[in-house]
Amino acid sequence: MAALVTMRINDKGVSEAIGFMLIFGMVIVGIGLVTLYGYPLLLQQQVSADEKIMEKNMIVLQNDIKSLAYKAVPFKETSLKIGGGSLTVYDSSYSTPSSTIEINDNGNNPYIPPFTPGELRYESMSAQTDIALQNGAVVLRRHVEPGSVMLAEPRWFFDSATNTVVFNLIKITSDTIMSKEGIGTVQMRLVGEPSYSAAPPIPNGQAIKLVYTPTPSGGRQDYSVAWDNYIIKTFDNPPYISMTKSGGPPGSGTPVTYTLTNNGSSDMTLVIKIFEVNIKSL
Amino acid sequence: MVNTDGQLYTIEGFAAGLIMIMTAYLVVSATSVYTAGDTHISDMQLEQLGSDALKIMATPASTGEISPLQKIIEVTPVGTDNATFGKMFGNLTNSKTGFGTDHIQFIASVSYRNKTDDSVSIYRLNSTRNLAGGEHAVRTTKWVIVNKKLPPSAPFAEDRAVLVEVLMWRD
Amino acid sequence: MARLNDDAQWIILMGFLISFSFFFLALIINQSTVVGQTTAESVIEFPKNDIRDLVGVITTNTSRSNTTVVNSDITVISLHRKNAVVRYSLIQPNPPVDLHSYASIHYNNGVTTYYENWTSL
């Protein structure tokens, strides 16, 4: 009996080495599974985090531009981290601008020369998304979809009490072509005094024509859907303004004309201000 | 004989350490935020300080008198410097409790309207130094009604509204 | 023969807890990065001082002459230098019938719209 009992609790056959290998094997299999499935998920998370951070950074830069333009501060700089893509500045005179804006009177005579805003654009490598800071607005465009969305709005407005339409156009320029990845500092300064166009008053029944021409190549840099939504939201103000839209549709790469007819009892005042912001360095 | 009792503890320790370092690395690298979000708090305070100083200067000492700011603009010919403004504004903004003074620099200018074509002209009133190009400045403004020939070629002096603009920064 | 004692299982538990708290922390930080405009910027953007100053200059000078020129000065300079659409009208006192002056002030800079109907004491 005593011998049997000893047999039963005898653990001399248990090998620590084999046990260790079993445990080690399990650990290795675990690590393998995580690498195979978990890590790609994590990377994807990282990409979307990078994109979110850049959306935020663009709004920070937009705030800098607002300070320069509307508070007439001469210089601003912001340090930021550009992850998962690159930030590039496109001068206002870039050969294929993402948009051209014309503001004409009733008889299609222009108030200002055709305006190309230039832009600061973040191009994500993996998320297939572009975020652009153009004309004071932050717009986002996914490559695979024809639509685009405005994350932060520019300061165009209609004041119904004084029947005034205000366009604040912001032109981004740079002396050289610049692009940046990783950590960088965006330095920008206000160039000169804003150009101010005082148009003659627009009587009842007359109209302002705003023509938005997206990039001629169509494709990835067409932000016309975002701008279309914004323009309709801002200026379609019955009974003061009756707005009609022709051309387009937005997103197809063709120009869209917005006709803003003065329906108010008083003359409409049109104010167009153009601010020039120079990107000194990225 | 060498004792091997601690081997498993060592392996476990290594594994645990690696797991923690990996986690910390992934977490930190995934969410590193580089943009400083609090730089604007000092801007806000500086702007308020300037605004308060201008408000003090635009307040008359007693009823019936004109305010120091109005007087400064009225006596200074367009395009010339006025040191009184700099002295007064500098004293108001740079005073601190205790010893020493603050280092606030500024450029003050005046904007007025030309009656003929509704354009706006700006002339410098006073400044402590010129902008070198990299200052983080803020702008504060104050409306003042002055009795002055604006523009200087105007035939007679009359009540006009002008905007005093002060660009200020610390260095 | 090595015999692991299990007195320290709570160390493993703590390890797990710390790892999970790391992830929660990451989630929270992630959420906070979405905001691009700080509170201080919003405070700067709100034209508190501009509106006070404007109301001040309009209402403290009701007795002055030359109100038409001053009115155009304020309207034009506001638009040029402050990016704000301003319109106001002033009714001066008409003694002995009415000793008060009245002002109706409108301010709009595209973000903030402000109206005030002011009556003197």
Side-chain angles (χ1 to χ4, degrees):
Chain A
M1 284 297 272
L4 262 175
V5 171
T6 347
M7 281 280 280
R8 216 181 283 151
I9 60 158
N10 189 346
D11 54 2
K12 279 207 164 65
V14 175
S15 159
E16 195 173 315
I18 289 173
F20 172 73
M21 278 165 84
L22 281 174
I23 300 289
F24 191 70
M26 279 194 251
V27 169
I28 293 295
V29 167
I31 290 174
L33 283 174
V34 167
T35 316
L36 201 61
Y37 297 109
Y39 198 60
L41 267 177
L42 209 70
L43 276 183
Q44 210 178 328
Q45 196 66 38
Q46 169 94 54
V47 165
S48 84
D50 278 341
E51 197 191 307
K52 285 272 179 298
I53 289 172
M54 268 326 281
E55 286 179 14
K56 176 213 147 184
N57 281 339
M58 285 307 223
I59 293 174
V60 170
L61 292 176
Q62 190 216 17
N63 274 313
D64 279 0
I65 287 187
K66 277 200 255 178
S67 293
L68 290 176
Y70 308 130
K71 307 221 90 166
V73 168
F75 175 81
K76 274 274 175 189
E77 67 179 347
T78 299
S79 302
L80 43 82
K81 183 191 160 210
I82 303 145
S86 60
L87 184 70
T88 313
V89 53
Y90 291 89
D91 187 86
S92 167
S93 60
Y94 185 62
S95 58
T96 49
S98 67
S99 67
T100 307
I101 288 164
E102 291 160 68
I103 302 171
N104 303 332
D105 70 3
N106 222 24
N108 288 321
N109 303 306
Y111 289 113
I112 51 163
F115 178 78
T116 49
E119 61 189 333
L120 267 171
R121 193 194 298 155
Y122 166 75
E123 287 166 13
S124 162
M125 274 174 315
S126 30
Q128 301 288 301
T129 305
D130 286 349
I131 306 169
L133 175 56
Q134 45 173 247
N135 220 340
V138 181
V139 283
L140 181 144
R141 167 84 203 256
R142 286 191 206 288
H143 293 170
V144 289
E145 294 158 14
S148 49
V149 62
M150 193 171 275
L151 301 176
E153 295 178 345
R155 206 178 276 187
W156 296 4
F157 63 98
F158 170 68
D159 182 54
S160 58
T162 54
N163 206 358
T164 307
V165 172
V166 180
F167 292 102
N168 288 312
L169 304 176
I170 291 169
K171 184 187 209 172
I172 289 178
T173 60
S174 75
D175 303 331
T176 51
I177 299 165
M178 287 182 284
S179 186
K180 186 85 189 176
E181 278 179 63
I183 289 169
T185 303
V186 180
Q187 296 183 321
M188 45 178 100
R189 66 189 176 88
L190 184 67
V191 182
E193 292 293 321
S195 121
Y196 178 94
S197 306
I202 296 135
N204 177 290
Q206 298 280 299
I208 305 166
K209 287 179 180 167
L210 174 68
V211 186
Y212 182 97
T213 311
T215 170
S217 54
R220 282 164 42 175
Q221 300 310 327
D222 183 349
Y223 298 97
S224 51
V225 175
W227 282 95
D228 178 66
N229 286 330
Y230 173 72
I231 292 168
I232 291 174
K233 193 187 120 197
T234 313
F235 294 120
D236 195 4
N237 265 303
Y240 307 103
I241 294 181
S242 75
M243 194 173 102
T244 54
K245 198 168 95 176
S246 61
S252 65
T254 45
V256 191
T257 305
Y258 303 88
T259 309
L260 279 58
T261 311
N262 179 15
N263 267 356
S265 48
S266 58
D267 287 356
M268 186 192 269
T269 314
L270 170 67
V271 176
I272 305 166
K273 293 183 91 169
I274 301 174
F275 302 90
E276 185 180 337
V277 173
N278 183 266
I279 310 291
K280 278 172 84 178
S281 74
L282 278 186
Chain B
M1 160 126 190
V2 180
N3 188 334
T4 56
D5 283 1
Q7 275 182 352
L8 221 52
Y9 285 118
T10 315
I11 292 167
E12 194 181 293
F14 267 119
L18 278 177
I19 288 170
M20 280 203 240
I21 289 168
M22 278 295 284
T23 312
Y25 168 73
L26 285 174
V27 166
V28 170
S29 71
T31 58
S32 71
V33 183
Y34 191 67
T35 313
D38 50 3
T39 52
H40 300 95
I41 294 173
S42 56
D43 285 0
M44 184 178 84
Q45 289 167 338
L46 193 59
E47 197 185 304
Q48 189 60 49
L49 179 69
S51 175
D52 289 348
L54 285 176
K55 194 156 195 168
I56 293 168
M57 290 174 72
T59 308
S62 62
T63 323
E65 279 183 43
I66 64 170
S67 69
L69 191 57
Q70 184 185 344
K71 196 175 174 189
I72 286 167
I73 297 168
E74 284 180 358
V75 301
T76 317
V78 171
T80 52
D81 220 57
N82 184 304
T84 322
F85 179 89
K87 217 182 222 172
M88 193 170 177
F89 189 79
N91 276 341
L92 285 168
T93 48
N94 282 314
S95 306
K96 286 204 298 192
T97 319
F99 299 105
T101 55
D102 210 340
H103 306 283
I104 292 171
Q105 312 294 332
F106 65 87
I107 296 174
S109 54
V110 177
S111 305
Y112 65 91
R113 177 180 70 102
N114 295 302
K115 273 165 78 179
T116 44
D117 59 351
D118 269 4
S119 65
V120 173
S121 302
I122 302 164
Y123 67 92
R124 184 174 288 202
L125 191 61
N126 189 244
S127 63
T128 49
R129 64 178 64 171
N130 285 321
L131 277 173
E135 290 89 355
H136 284 248
V138 297
R139 183 176 297 255
T140 61
T141 56
K142 181 82 197 151
W143 287 102
V144 188
I145 298 210
V146 295
N147 193 281
K148 193 176 169 69
K149 285 184 185 176
L150 286 171
S153 58
F156 54 90
E158 58 182 335
D159 278 358
R160 299 295 299 269
V162 297
L163 188 69
V164 178
E165 304 180 37
V166 183
L167 195 67
M168 49 197 291
W169 69 96
R170 258 194 190 92
D171 69 0
Chain C
M1 177 78 231
R3 257 198 201 287
L4 294 177
N5 86 42
D6 54 4
D7 284 355
Q9 276 182 354
W10 63 272
I11 294 181
I12 298 169
L13 192 68
M14 286 303 133
F16 270 118
L17 281 182
I18 288 168
S19 304
F20 280 119
S21 57
F22 264 131
F23 274 104
F24 277 114
L25 211 64
L27 277 177
I28 291 166
I29 294 173
N30 232 339
Q31 290 301 310
S32 73
T33 56
V34 183
V35 189
Q37 184 163 4
T38 60
T39 323
E41 274 175 308
S42 308
V43 172
I44 293 176
E45 201 180 58
F46 182 69
K48 175 191 75 174
N49 288 326
D50 291 355
I51 293 174
R52 278 189 186 161
D53 188 20
L54 185 75
V55 171
V57 78
I58 292 169
T59 56
T60 52
N61 291 286
T62 48
S63 56
R64 292 219 173 205
S65 61
N66 215 14
T67 45
T68 324
V69 173
V70 169
N71 197 323
S72 320
D73 280 347
I74 289 177
T75 313
V76 169
I77 298 174
S78 282
L79 198 54
H80 273 84
R81 302 296 304 165
K82 308 291 293 178
N83 276 289
V85 176
V86 170
R87 190 182 66 178
Y88 75 91
S89 55
L90 205 60
I91 299 168
Q92 299 213 344
N94 179 25
V97 185
D98 191 352
L99 294 173
H100 300 290
S101 23
Y102 303 92
S104 105
I105 302 163
H106 168 72
Y107 173 98
N108 186 354
N109 73 351
V111 181
T112 309
T113 313
Y114 179 83
Y115 292 93
E116 178 167 342
N117 281 313
W118 173 86
T119 310
S120 71
L121 292 171

